[in-house]
Amino acid sequence: MKSSIKVGFIGFGTVATGAVKILTEQKGLIRRRLGCPIEIVQIADLDVKRSRGVSLPKGVLTTDAMKVVRHPEIDIVVELIGGYDPARQFLLEAIRRGKQVVTANKALLAAHGEEIFRAAVERGVDVGFEGSVGGGIPIIHAIKEGLAAEKIAAIYGIVNGTCNYILTKMTDEGKKFSEVLTEAQRLGYAEADPTLDIGGADSAHKLAILTCLAFGTAVPLKEIYTEGVDKVTPLDIAFAEEFGCKIKLLAIAKAADGEIEARVHPTMIPKEYLLSRVAGVHNAVYLVGEAIGEALFYGRGAGSLPTGSAVVSDLIDISRNILKGANGRVPPASFLPEARPALRIKQMDEIESLYYLRFMAEDRPGVLSKISGVLGKHRISISSVIQQGRKAGGNVPLVMMTHRAKERDVQEALSKINRMDYVSEPTVLIRVEGEDE
Amino acid sequence: MKSSIKVGFIGFGTVATGAVKILTEQKGLIRRRLGCPIEIVQIADLDVKRSRGVSLPKGVLTTDAMKVVRHPEIDIVVELIGGYDPARQFLLEAIRRGKQVVTANKALLAAHGEEIFRAAVERGVDVGFEGSVGGGIPIIHAIKEGLAAEKIAAIYGIVNGTCNYILTKMTDEGKKFSEVLTEAQRLGYAEADPTLDIGGADSAHKLAILTCLAFGTAVPLKEIYTEGVDKVTPLDIAFAEEFGCKIKLLAIAKAADGEIEARVHPTMIPKEYLLSRVAGVHNAVYLVGEAIGEALFYGRGAGSLPTGSAVVSDLIDISRNILKGANGRVPPASFLPEARPALRIKQMDEIESLYYLRFMAEDRPGVLSKISGVLGKHRISISSVIQQGRKAGGNVPLVMMTHRAKERDVQEALSKINRMDYVSEPTVLIRVEGEDE
């Protein structure tokens, strides 16, 4: 039996600092659960001067990442530098050398997960990535192990804390997107360049990972329809309220009849849904499974300690395998590589949904009938209408909630309606999840 | 490599039927995740005639449970008969014979878990019990694996669907306990003899299991203070509402400063808390951890398929260990047996809480001052008071919410107040979780 497990970190930023703190402060707990200590042998970062509030033995820090990858004693290499390259090369080289690896790099896994997983399976090593989705929520373990018997039908995730913080603030305080974004940046809840978050790409990365684990089919990022939160307005949030709904940025994936769909966009959901109650920077993943019905996993989506905890749980998991010579006991993609089902990926225009449509139209007789006429011709039927705020000669919002309709029909109808002269602005479309009443 | 994993069931009731259905219907999925099939070799039940809606090969059913335990080919024995004995003997005998075991028997684990875990560790076999707490919620795996790095500080669980259904109905429809119980029995949400559920014992069993996993210390059942839902009245639910709270039956465990407390009782919680939103037969476990902050796990708490799914996930987990020769890789109690911390268990009168107190007192001047005087003498300070419904010469409810106080002080004060002649009924006490404002 090994007397300790030796790990090396590449990257010593926020998450690595959290993981190192936990490894140091919970040394006793880890030993009592694992049976031996996890020892930090080497940490590589370009900045080895800055204090991270943790004390490390001399010689642990290095600026050379390859020292970690090549270190003969290191059992597990933890990659926490983010981005595609050189993170990808470091992981592949570590795997090639027979090292177990851990990463929280969702962008990398979404784009190159297949390559990394394949290399790991061939070499018989483990890839831990609990930290890549939902920080302190052990959702990766849940899908791969706790729900291993479950045929999952759908995933609805609030997986980006920045977007959820912004939408929560906009909802609670009636503020505009740009105003709340500035505030979020000041508080450190949004990056200086928030594009990846607010544009939805970060959520799409995480959805790609969850979809792969839940359904066994990798969905290329470009096949995930992605819309961010930057176009959500206080007006639409207020109308959502009138329909008893909240607007959340949801990462949605569904599987049925040999096909899957995966998409990220602002979504109206009834305010009684638990997902509606997930506020601020919190994350949650709601799963629908054939046997379990539904389950929700909620917690902090990011941050040094929550994500650090996920990284250390991977280290413990993999260490348990090392101690038993059992690496590779769970396939990284949750299905055996040779047995991955190949589900057809639906294009966005094939999906069906309920829709919230906000037209900005001239306030004169006949407009409602013309718009609903075009919708009807495109097989879209309306479940309710709100028309408010008369303005002499001006434009007013005309809001409709549809029954279940096809995206293609809706898009075609809107492109016609948007060209009409009594419509002053492009129509706002927000997809709605809920019962079709 | 083994070409299949062979399992035998003892007990063919609701949960076993769910598990057998999943093993049959999800054969393909399980094979794609595990790499080989899980084969049902033998099922023992006293009733082998009744149709369970699943077709089984000839010779699988038997009335002799020991045939399962002794079967030379069976790798994993699943015990689903419930109760203490003979379930305990079957499990211990299966372990003695080197078989892996799975059970969903929370009563047995709460009372004899230590004995079963010790036997399994000595023999190097696994004990799966994901189905014992929170049916379709993979909370056992979450604590043992996904949160392995986490120093857990507190657990708040809604772990009994029957009680939650009853409280939800009482809250939504203003009905009395007895009325809703009858309804729940008619709908199959409550047993003909509902004592274990409504008296809180079932929740205490589950709390004993969670506490052992989270803190490493086994809490004997008799040390878990347990109060059921049968004394909750529509009047107190209405007052809770006025304080912005709901009443839930919570299983609570906390660890701090080398001590733990574990208790089950109706609890008022602010209605904004996610736990407040857990309605009907659903269950949820809210965890507070040092690094992750907080996490919530929500889903169906019971039922043939949800709990069946948990049993099959244990089968897959243990099968993965069998295929790698890695049984025993995670200690059943989540801590290594020799490294279990021994935390002191607090007695109920040592705990501190906020309290809701409803006095039934004569509606005459001076009563409020007398009652609050006694409370004050016992170091209990009041954060708010509601006095309503004047009745000439009659008794009226006088409701108080306290600041944080000691259980011992509160009990002493109430025993004095209850003896006073202007108090007509024993005072109702409901503990409150929330911020002390």
Side-chain angles (χ1 to χ4, degrees), chain B residues 103-106 128-135 140 206 301 306-307 310-311 314:
Chain B
T103 179
N105 192 332
K106 53 251 176 184
F129 49 101
E130 186 61 72
S132 65
V133 183
I140 307 288
K206 291 162 178 168
T307 311
V311 168
D314 276 342

Side-chain angles (χ1 to χ4, degrees), chain B residues 208-231:
Chain B
I209 295 169
L210 294 177
T211 304
C212 170
L213 296 181
F215 307 130
T217 297
V219 181
L221 270 178
K222 63 173 170 33
E223 306 256 21
I224 299 180
Y225 173 84
T226 305
E227 219 180 276
V229 296
D230 45 321
K231 295 200 182 63

Side-chain angles (χ1 to χ4, degrees), chain B residues 32-53:
Chain B
R32 286 200 295 277
R33 284 199 169 139
L34 177 59
C36 79
I38 295 179
E39 204 184 310
I40 303 168
V41 172
Q42 197 95 73
I43 303 177
D45 197 280
L46 296 178
D47 176 358
V48 292
K49 300 284 178 218
R50 184 165 55 90
S51 164
R52 274 92 167 174

Side-chain angles (χ1 to χ4, degrees), chain A residues 71-240:
Chain A
H71 199 296
E73 287 183 14
I74 285 178
D75 301 295
I76 313 176
V77 171
V78 185
E79 177 279 307
L80 294 168
I81 50 174
Y84 298 122
D85 284 319
R88 178 176 146 273
Q89 285 100 323
F90 291 146
L91 283 173
L92 289 172
E93 181 57 22
I95 290 169
R96 207 184 60 76
R97 289 168 182 263
K99 300 199 183 301
Q100 320 296 325
V101 298
V102 171
T103 178
N105 191 332
K106 53 252 174 182
L108 178 63
L109 288 174
H112 301 286
E114 293 294 298
E115 181 186 16
I116 292 163
F117 290 173
R118 201 181 319 117
V121 170
E122 276 167 18
R123 196 65 173 80
V125 300
D126 289 326
V127 186
F129 49 101
E130 186 60 73
S132 65
V133 183
I137 310 169
I139 184 68
I140 306 288
H141 270 86
I143 297 179
K144 289 173 70 168
E145 311 216 35
L147 300 174
E150 197 58 31
K151 183 168 182 186
I152 295 171
I155 300 169
Y156 303 86
I158 294 174
V159 287
N160 184 280
T162 305
C163 291
N164 203 50
Y165 174 84
I166 290 173
L167 290 176
T168 304
K169 274 276 174 182
M170 288 177 71
T171 304
D172 292 351
E173 299 172 13
K175 287 182 184 160
K176 281 200 302 193
F177 171 78
S178 53
E179 203 177 333
V180 177
L181 174 61
T182 313
E183 209 178 300
Q185 284 171 318
R186 196 171 40 78
L187 292 166
Y189 293 154
E191 310 272 346
D193 176 3
T195 325
L196 264 184
D197 292 317
I198 62 170
D202 176 74
S203 297
H205 294 154
K206 291 164 178 168
L207 185 62
I209 295 170
L210 294 177
T211 304
C212 170
L213 296 180
F215 308 130
T217 298
V219 181
L221 269 178
K222 64 175 170 31
E223 307 257 20
I224 300 180
Y225 173 84
T226 305
E227 222 180 273
V229 296
D230 45 322
K231 294 198 182 63
V232 176
T233 66
L235 182 61
D236 296 306
I237 289 174
F239 278 121

